[in-house]
Amino acid sequence: MIHVGIIGFGTVGTGTARILLGNRSILKERTGIDINLKKIADIDIKRDRGLKLPKGVLTPKADELLNDPEIDIVVELIGGTAIAKEMVLKAIDKGKHVVTANKALLATHGPEIFRAAGKHKVEIGFEASVAGGIPIVKVVREGLVANRIKAVYGIINGTSNYILTKMTEEKAEFSEVLKEAQKLGYAEADPTYDIEGIDSAHKLAILASLSYGSQYSIRDVHCEGISWISPMDIEFARELGYKIKLLAIAKETDGKVELRVHPTMIPEEYLISKVDGVFNAVYVEGDAVGSTLYYGRGAGDMPTGSAVVADIADISRNIVNGAHGRLSFSVSRKAKNLMKMEDVRSMYYFRFSALDKPGVLSKISGILGKYNISIVSVIQKGRREGKAVPLVVLTHMAREKDVVSAIREINRLSVVADKAAIIRVEGQENG
Amino acid sequence: MIHVGIIGFGTVGTGTARILLGNRSILKERTGIDINLKKIADIDIKRDRGLKLPKGVLTPKADELLNDPEIDIVVELIGGTAIAKEMVLKAIDKGKHVVTANKALLATHGPEIFRAAGKHKVEIGFEASVAGGIPIVKVVREGLVANRIKAVYGIINGTSNYILTKMTEEKAEFSEVLKEAQKLGYAEADPTYDIEGIDSAHKLAILASLSYGSQYSIRDVHCEGISWISPMDIEFARELGYKIKLLAIAKETDGKVELRVHPTMIPEEYLISKVDGVFNAVYVEGDAVGSTLYYGRGAGDMPTGSAVVADIADISRNIVNGAHGRLSFSVSRKAKNLMKMEDVRSMYYFRFSALDKPGVLSKISGILGKYNISIVSVIQKGRREGKAVPLVVLTHMAREKDVVSAIREINRLSVVADKAAIIRVEGQENG
């Protein structure tokens, strides 16, 4: 019998407990191991979580659990990076295996935690830290182990995907939809982490570390959010055959790894552009397997609990077979080989606010040409002589550095009324 | 160092060898283990596979490989169920772990093979036997281990999906598209296994065994093919908001497991109905994780090779850690709990060929009503007084047994010119 202790009895803690209790017999059937939820520690032991726990399981003291010699696996579900880190390091120090759903913790203090785990020969399970219930960590680390990973793209933040989906369906403003999402519980009171791409960047750092064998952190990820996206951009994207999604992208090109999170235009016929609402999806391209996609719920008590319990089952199998460390988090490459953002190449969508008068397009396209940015198509909407109208330009592949220079110069033109909106475009270079 | 021998140097054998040789350093980086392709046995050692093998690797004698004490893992890629079975049992008998992509073998002789493997304490890897490069075996067995699997649906035969996609896009006849597919190498000279659903049924038996803890075989699967599907049905489906796909379905309802492969109408907004061409996708619904989907290439040298090598890597990790049997193919339930096909409930699409004269619809709907089959909608196309025209009926949930009886009675009506076309409909019951 394997004994488990959970620290943190919030949403995911409750889901995890519900699965461990409710599916105990199924788990035994499927793994041959009896997994016992022995303790749950939380400062609030009063609140009703709608879950009947056996007597004596709930305790206000995490130490009671950390000091219990019978407990094999400690599950950290507190969140944040301060107390969570302390608890995780304590558990490791006491020789306990750890399962966590905490992407912020791993993307910030990963190296320290994995070093400690290596020293004490314990395992760290972190399936639930990326894309909730989708077993993407296992897929990248084991299922696609035969592949050189060429690219990993993901919609890995449900809140921002919900907002962009609603903006698209209802032609609504960002702020309006955000308020609605907060009311429905899909966005937090302080939504910064979700809408500014930080949560996605945490998860991308973890996916990239698995894919490219080095320890990437949140600091290695170029990160832009969605709060400035307007219904106008969504509508232009639609006219051009694209959807706008907040995409987390890791790619290896010529030995360099690029890591970036930003609003992205994706051809609407791509499967990933049909991933709507709070759902997540991760696209993985391997040199042998080609294109693959993994889709499911990226958050919530039960989906995230499903991933937590999968880690518990995996570690239990290793304990029973005396094989801990079987799948240690191997970081084989020291060098991060990061591509500088300025060297990243992409296609682009620009929306200029340009005065409707002769010669403006020629001026703008002249500057783009000077910086080696060639144009695929141009849309100009509305005629308001002498006034500002949107001028949309779609480009071929261009270098970020050139784009930054060109846009700076264009923004300074007297015929340009406002700063340009810039969205990177994914898809096949056509033409 | 782990030594591997491959028996069968065809398409998948070549892909597997290409990955083992070409990605050896990546595999070492990702697993910490050096995996050496020591031998390949094939009766044809002359044909150029476009792959440079180290000297001495290729041999015409499988025994050379089976008797090599250094070889830890034997990969069976011969196909078929006769010689393949002999080779697999021999390898097991010699204490070697086995990796196979052979769904027909497992769906026919699975119990015997797994029994032998259990006796000799060796592992059988079979990720490549279902859905090619998609790591669906790992996902169901490990990634979603915390879940009671409510349903598994899959497009798991690329050939038939290619044919249905082309029929849909080009409004073309089945026989025409099949010929084209054969010319392009997407269908075999004898396409029976693919187009009659047998290949899908083999794979479904394996998926169901993993999901429901009993050993299901091809004989447990109700199986219908796509060769009778007409462009007319595809067009009616489109009008009603559906796509037609060859779906393999495993579901547990009230403790009974239903296993069936047949053409299925799927709401066109479902992600799986957008899976086109030779691509595969498997939808898995778990009680904790909810809806998930896995998408990728279901066949081909490199995608299937990716799955074969993932199994080799997994078994290698277990060998190195002394943990073979860590993930044995546990069959916990003896009882298959199969639902009889006649008890299966589904929504239905019927296309009758009925004479265009007053009272016909009333006769047909009267018989349906008698058997408790209630109608969602009716389409009648074309007016040819006194001649046969298509009459399409979409139903609410009905029992297969009632449908069989009703259709038999309707087919006998003098106002009905031809046998009814019957397609089961998946999706939310709306009404």
Side-chain angles (χ1 to χ4, degrees), chain A residues 80-141:
Chain A
T81 54
I83 308 173
K85 185 184 167 193
E86 192 194 317
M87 294 294 163
V88 164
L89 290 176
K90 251 192 196 172
I92 292 172
D93 196 51
K94 295 201 176 278
K96 298 188 186 313
H97 303 283
V98 171
V99 173
T100 176
N102 195 329
K103 48 257 171 190
L105 179 64
L106 295 178
T108 317
H109 304 292
E112 190 180 343
I113 290 166
F114 288 106
R115 241 191 338 265
K119 199 178 131 197
H120 289 86
K121 297 199 165 42
V122 297
E123 298 196 27
I124 310 286
F126 54 97
E127 181 63 79
S129 68
V130 185
I134 309 172
I136 192 67
V137 167
K138 184 173 279 289
V139 163
V140 171
R141 202 151 58 143

Side-chain angles (χ1 to χ4, degrees), chain B residues 95-112:
Chain B
K96 300 192 185 306
H97 303 284
V98 171
V99 173
T100 177
N102 196 328
K103 48 255 171 194
L105 179 65
L106 295 178
T108 318
H109 303 293
E112 189 180 344

Side-chain angles (χ1 to χ4, degrees), chain B residues 131-316:
Chain B
I134 309 173
I136 191 68
V137 168
K138 184 173 279 288
V139 163
V140 171
R141 202 149 58 140
E142 303 173 51
L144 303 183
V145 71
N147 293 265
R148 199 173 290 274
I149 304 293
K150 294 167 80 173
V152 180
Y153 292 13
I155 296 174
I156 48 181
N157 180 270
T159 303
S160 53
N161 200 47
Y162 174 84
I163 292 174
L164 288 173
T165 302
K166 280 282 166 188
M167 286 178 70
T168 306
E169 284 171 357
E170 297 169 3
K171 299 180 195 293
E173 293 287 344
F174 173 82
S175 56
E176 203 178 300
V177 176
L178 172 61
K179 250 180 250 160
E180 190 197 320
Q182 286 170 320
K183 223 181 287 172
L184 291 168
Y186 292 153
E188 301 194 36
D190 176 359
T192 313
Y193 264 45
D194 293 321
I195 64 172
E196 295 305 342
I198 302 162
D199 175 72
S200 294
H202 282 142
K203 294 166 179 168
L204 185 67
I206 296 170
L207 277 180
S209 302
L210 292 169
S211 303
Y212 298 116
S214 194
Q215 283 268 16
Y216 298 98
S217 90
I218 176 85
R219 285 173 299 277
D220 300 319
V221 183
H222 172 89
C223 184
E224 299 171 22
I226 61 163
S227 55
W228 60 272
I229 296 284
S230 79
M232 203 192 331
D233 294 315
I234 291 175
E235 181 55 23
F236 278 124
R238 197 192 57 73
E239 274 183 42
L240 293 160
Y242 294 89
K243 287 265 192 76
I244 299 179
K245 296 286 182 190
L246 180 65
L247 216 58
I249 301 173
K251 267 193 213 178
E252 188 167 21
T253 313
D254 304 327
K256 293 275 184 197
V257 174
E258 47 185 291
L259 301 180
R260 46 197 171 100
V261 171
H262 50 65
T264 310
M265 277 169 44
I266 311 170
E268 63 183 1
E269 71 274 14
Y270 280 27
L271 211 55
I272 200 167
S273 79
K274 299 179 204 291
V275 172
D276 285 331
V278 295
F279 274 88
N280 282 16
V282 182
Y283 168 90
V284 186
E285 193 183 333
D287 64 346
V289 77
S291 301
T292 63
L293 185 100
Y294 309 88
Y295 167 89
R297 287 183 185 277
D301 53 347
M302 298 298 278
T304 311
S306 167
V308 170
V309 175
D311 273 345
I312 294 173
D314 254 358
I315 294 177
S316 298

Side-chain angles (χ1 to χ4, degrees), chain B residues 313-377:
Chain B
D314 254 358
I315 294 177
S316 298
R317 282 162 160 161
N318 288 349
I319 296 174
V320 166
N321 288 282
H324 9 289
R326 174 183 174 280
L327 207 72
S328 63
F329 187 72
S330 63
V331 173
S332 41
R333 305 186 211 171
K334 279 233 171 83
K336 289 188 173 183
N337 296 323
L338 274 178
M339 187 180 285
K340 281 188 200 142
M341 194 58 201
E342 60 179 40
D343 292 329
V344 165
R345 292 174 59 81
S346 173
M347 298 179 287
Y348 289 83
Y349 158 102
F350 304 132
R351 177 173 50 79
F352 302 108
S353 183
L355 297 191
D356 183 14
K357 58 186 212 179
V360 171
L361 178 59
S362 143
K363 264 194 192 139
I364 289 176
S365 57
I367 295 173
L368 293 174
K370 194 173 83 182
Y371 288 98
N372 285 311
I373 301 165
S374 57
I375 294 176
V376 176
S377 62

Side-chain angles (χ1 to χ4, degrees), chain A residues 373-418:
Chain A
I373 301 166
S374 56
I375 293 174
V376 175
S377 63
V378 174
I379 303 179
Q380 183 162 353
K381 265 292 160 71
R383 295 244 41 183
R384 301 202 304 158
E385 214 170 306
K387 298 258 173 73
V389 291
L391 175 74
V392 167
V393 172
L394 218 59
T395 79
H396 286 290
M397 287 298 255
R399 202 160 64 124
E400 177 80 12
K401 188 184 183 174
D402 295 329
V403 167
V404 169
S405 304
I407 296 299
R408 189 181 302 134
E409 206 167 314
I410 292 170
N411 281 343
R412 273 198 221 113
L413 290 176
S414 62
V415 294
V416 165
D418 205 352

